[in-house]
Amino acid sequence: MGESLFAEPLLWLIVGAEIGFWVFLLAGLGARYVLRRRGLGAVLLLGVPLMDLVLVTASTVDLATGGAPSRVHGLAALYLGVTVAFGHSLVRWADVRVAHRFAGGPAPVRPPRGGVARTRYEWREYGKVVAAWVVTAAVLVLLSVAGGRAFPAPGAWPEDPMWSWLATASLVAGIWFVVGPLWATVFPGSGDRERTGVR
């Protein structure tokens, strides 16, 4: 299975999209804070969401032109869901640290360690998990329509080559809910917010 998986061009496109994400991110931040060219940095950072657009287009075209639905198509949907939901936060996380290191920006602030602030933080982060799940499901619907396939019932997701990734995402979302926002709500602890430099 490993050989057939890596033989699929779409998998390499996913790998390329991930590499492109980091290349555009680092180049954009480097241009903004190291070269002091904010306009160029903004243009380069626009390449980050372009990677997602290229990937969803390629996945849709592949199925619409007769490609067989596979686990790689499902992985592409999950990858898109995660990058859409968490990509902006990751860019902001990196931006704060690069600005602090190269442009005298304020030191990054660690997440709250307890209290109501921690509970709010965990619910906000879990909102991104839900958003990732919703985007993944929406892309899977798009891919299924493009490929002329019926939507499997939730009970059949684990056996479906594409939709099995949504079953995995559902399991991860359930675990995250318990150890994240639910735990912080039931056991909030004491409020404590720390400021720190780049780790």
Side-chain angles (χ1 to χ4, degrees), residues 2 4-17 55 72 75:
S4 62
L5 188 67
F6 282 98
E8 293 209 33
L10 189 58
L11 179 64
W12 293 108
L13 185 58
I14 296 172
V15 173
L55 185 56
V72 177
L75 177 60

Side-chain angles (χ1 to χ4, degrees), residues 45-69:
L45 288 173
L46 286 176
V48 172
L50 277 178
M51 296 293 96
D52 295 341
L53 183 60
V54 168
L55 185 56
V56 72
T57 301
S59 303
T60 305
V61 169
D62 183 49
L63 289 176
T65 55

Side-chain angles (χ1 to χ4, degrees), residues 33-120:
Y33 296 113
V34 179
L35 301 179
R36 311 289 186 190
R37 298 185 60 184
R38 297 188 67 84
L40 176 61
V43 170
L44 288 169
L45 288 173
L46 286 176
V48 172
L50 277 178
M51 296 293 96
D52 295 341
L53 183 60
V54 168
L55 185 56
V56 72
T57 301
S59 303
T60 305
V61 169
D62 183 49
L63 289 176
T65 55
S70 69
R71 285 183 57 79
V72 177
H73 292 95
L75 177 60
L78 179 62
Y79 176 83
L80 286 163
V82 171
T83 56
V84 168
F86 289 92
H88 181 70
S89 297
L90 181 57
V91 170
R92 189 169 59 245
W93 179 90
D95 185 73
V96 168
R97 281 153 180 78
V98 175
H100 174 66
R101 175 68 177 82
F102 294 102
V109 179
R110 283 189 182 176
R113 301 185 67 181
V116 175
R118 177 68 182 187
T119 303
R120 277 198 297 260

Side-chain angles (χ1 to χ4, degrees), residues 164-184:
S164 61
W165 288 104
L166 194 60
T168 301
S170 301
L171 176 62
V172 171
I175 294 171
W176 192 314
F177 174 75
V178 172
V179 302
L182 180 61
W183 185 269

